[in-house]
Every structure is written in structure tokens, then in C-alpha cells.
């Protein structure tokens, strides 16, 4: 059985868990990281020397890094659907996975940490304002890309929607000013209609 280490409040774990739920895979998730600890134990370090979550063990095959795990599970269990057969469609999906990590995360992380995990009296308003402005510009790029398609790589959900979908849930859940993003909002509404997204991603932001 597929085993997954990681707390369900972690955005990186949520990417994997949404994928697993979407695919209907039998699995066991073990709380690790954050308040659960365990990532510094010898047993875990043998699995993942980075001491981070998530990590999976799929019948003896150990893998870490959330996007690598999402790609692996989609390729193994959803070829032609979440893992597109068409190389160009797959590259398009892959592009949005990397865009989320290289463009959205550096702006979202400081805003999230300041508003969610920092006491109000210790917050940095300038850092928040800069991140919010960056996110508005970045999500405008996604809004333009979604003008002629239902999902990031075309007409159906692919692996490309998973990381940025998790980030968008956090973005819309933050008490900040959000620009008008009609195409992103329509795409996000489609995500919220998926049971796997509601179960594994739409939870309190902590």
C-alpha cells in the first residue's frame, strides 16, 4: 500500500493528497512535520535526508519532492488523463507546475507567513504589501492563460492544475485585496466542485 508522510495542513502534502484522492488510490497517511515532529528521527532521515514533507513509499519505492511525487503518481495511475499523452499538453501542464513554484511561491510565502503565522504586532506591512502586489500581477498572467480553456493545460484537469490549485485556495483564503480575475475565479470554481479538492485542500488555513 502507498504510504505518505506529512501533515495535512502542509500545502506540499495537500498536492499529493489531492492527487491520491483524485486517483482513488488506497493509502495510509502518517502525520509528520510541524507539531508532529518525526522528520528529525533516524528512521525518517533514511527516507528523506532533507527532513521535509511529503515523502512516499510506494511498495518499496521511496520518493520525495511534492511535484515529483505528483508526476510519478499521475504517470503511473492516470496516463492519458492527469498525465496527458500528448507531449505538448504534458509540457504545458508541467510548465504551470514549475511556474507555481518559481513565481507564485516566493510572493505567496511571505504574505502567508505574515498574516497566518505571525502575531499582528510583529507583522511587516511593507512585506505584505509587496507580496500582495506581486501576486496580483502574477495571477493576472494565469487569468490571461485561462481565457480560452477550462483548465491550465486545456479542457480537462491535469497534473498542472494541482499545485497552482492548492496555492490559489490559500490566495483566495487570505484577508487581502484581490483583483478581478474572472477566468481564474471560474477555473477555481470548477476545482471546488471536485470532491477530491474539497476533501484534501479546502480545510482551515493554518
Amino acid at each position: 500500500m502507498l504510504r505518505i508522510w506529512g501533515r495535512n495542513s502542509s500545502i506540499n502534502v495537500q498536492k499529493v493528497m489531492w492527487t491520491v484522492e483524485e486517483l482513488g488510490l488506497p493509502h495510509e497517511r502518517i502525520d509528520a512535520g510541524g507539531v508532529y515532529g518525526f522528520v528529525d528521527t533516524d528512521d525518517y532521515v533514511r527516507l528523506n535526508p532533507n527532513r521535509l514533507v511529503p515523502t512516499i513509499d510506494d511498495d518499496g519505492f521511496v520518493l520525495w519532492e511534492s511535484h515529483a511525487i505528483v508526476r510519478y503518481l499521475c504517470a503511473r495511475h492516470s496516463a492519458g488523463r492527469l498525465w496527458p499523452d500528448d507531449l505538448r499538453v504534458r509540457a504545458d501542464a508541467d510548465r504551470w507546475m514549475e511556474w507555481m513554484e518559481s513565481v507564485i511561491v516566493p510572493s505567496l510565502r511571505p504574505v502567508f507567513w505574515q498574516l497566518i503565522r505571525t502575531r499582528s504586532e510583529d507583522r511587516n506591512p511593507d512585506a505584505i504589501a509587496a507580496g500582495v502586489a506581486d501576486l496580483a500581477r502574477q495571477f493576472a498572467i494565469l487569468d490571461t492563460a485561462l481565457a480560452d480553456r477550462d483548465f491550465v493545460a486545456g479542457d480537462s484537469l491535469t497534473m498542472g492544475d494541482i499545485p497552482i490549485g492548492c496555492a490559489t485556495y490559500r490566495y483566495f483564503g487570505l484577508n487581502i485585496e484581490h483583483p478581478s480575475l474572472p477566468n481564474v475565479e471560474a477555473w477555481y470554481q470548477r476545482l471546488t466542485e471536485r470532491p477530491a479538492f474539497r476533501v484534501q485542500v479546502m480545510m482551515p488555513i493554518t
Side-chain angles (χ1 to χ4, degrees):
M1 178 184 291
L2 176 67
R3 303 183 78 194
I4 305 150
W5 285 268
R7 65 193 188 281
N8 63 7
S9 61
S10 161
I11 189 172
N12 290 325
V13 175
Q14 288 171 1
K15 297 171 197 174
V16 173
M17 294 308 302
W18 177 13
T19 304
V20 168
E21 191 82 19
E22 200 76 46
L23 298 174
L25 300 179
H27 65 277
E28 175 190 12
R29 185 182 63 79
I30 302 132
D31 282 322
V35 298
Y36 299 102
F38 187 61
V39 294
D40 291 322
T41 65
D42 291 342
D43 286 344
Y44 189 79
V45 170
R46 279 192 288 270
L47 297 171
N48 186 342
N50 302 290
R51 304 169 191 252
L52 299 172
V53 293
T55 300
I56 68 167
D57 183 333
D58 186 25
D59 293 329
F61 175 60
V62 175
L63 187 63
W64 35 265
E65 289 297 330
S66 60
H67 290 190
I69 295 170
V70 170
R71 292 184 185 101
Y72 166 75
L73 293 175
C74 291
R76 182 173 184 186
H77 299 285
S78 193
R81 190 166 66 90
L82 296 183
W83 178 267
D85 286 332
D86 187 295
L87 178 60
R88 293 185 177 183
V89 177
R90 188 161 71 242
D92 195 6
D94 199 29
R95 179 242 310 270
W96 289 108
M97 296 177 75
E98 295 308 301
W99 182 79
M100 178 269 187
E101 194 66 29
S102 63
V103 175
I104 292 294
V105 168
S107 299
L108 182 61
R109 181 182 287 121
V111 178
F112 170 81
W113 273 88
Q114 288 286 322
L115 295 178
I116 303 299
R117 296 184 179 171
T118 303
R119 296 183 304 175
S120 58
E121 61 268 28
D122 295 330
R123 290 173 185 162
N124 183 333
D126 292 338
I128 296 171
V132 170
D134 285 344
L135 287 166
R137 289 191 292 270
Q138 293 155 1
F139 272 95
I141 294 171
L142 180 61
D143 196 69
T144 299
L146 286 166
D148 62 350
R149 53 184 59 186
D150 287 343
F151 297 92
V152 299
D155 296 330
S156 60
L157 185 83
T158 67
M159 63 183 186
D161 295 279
I162 290 173
I164 191 61
C166 292
T168 303
Y169 173 73
R170 292 197 171 198
Y171 177 58
F172 283 150
L174 293 174
N175 185 23
I176 58 175
E177 183 177 351
H178 300 89
S180 175
L181 298 165
N183 300 318
V184 170
E185 291 162 10
W187 163 76
Y188 179 72
Q189 179 61 38
R190 286 188 280 275
L191 298 186
T192 66
E193 293 167 0
R194 304 187 76 87
F197 184 81
R198 292 199 300 270
V199 168
Q200 298 294 349
V201 181
M202 299 182 71
M203 57 185 66
I205 300 173
T206 59

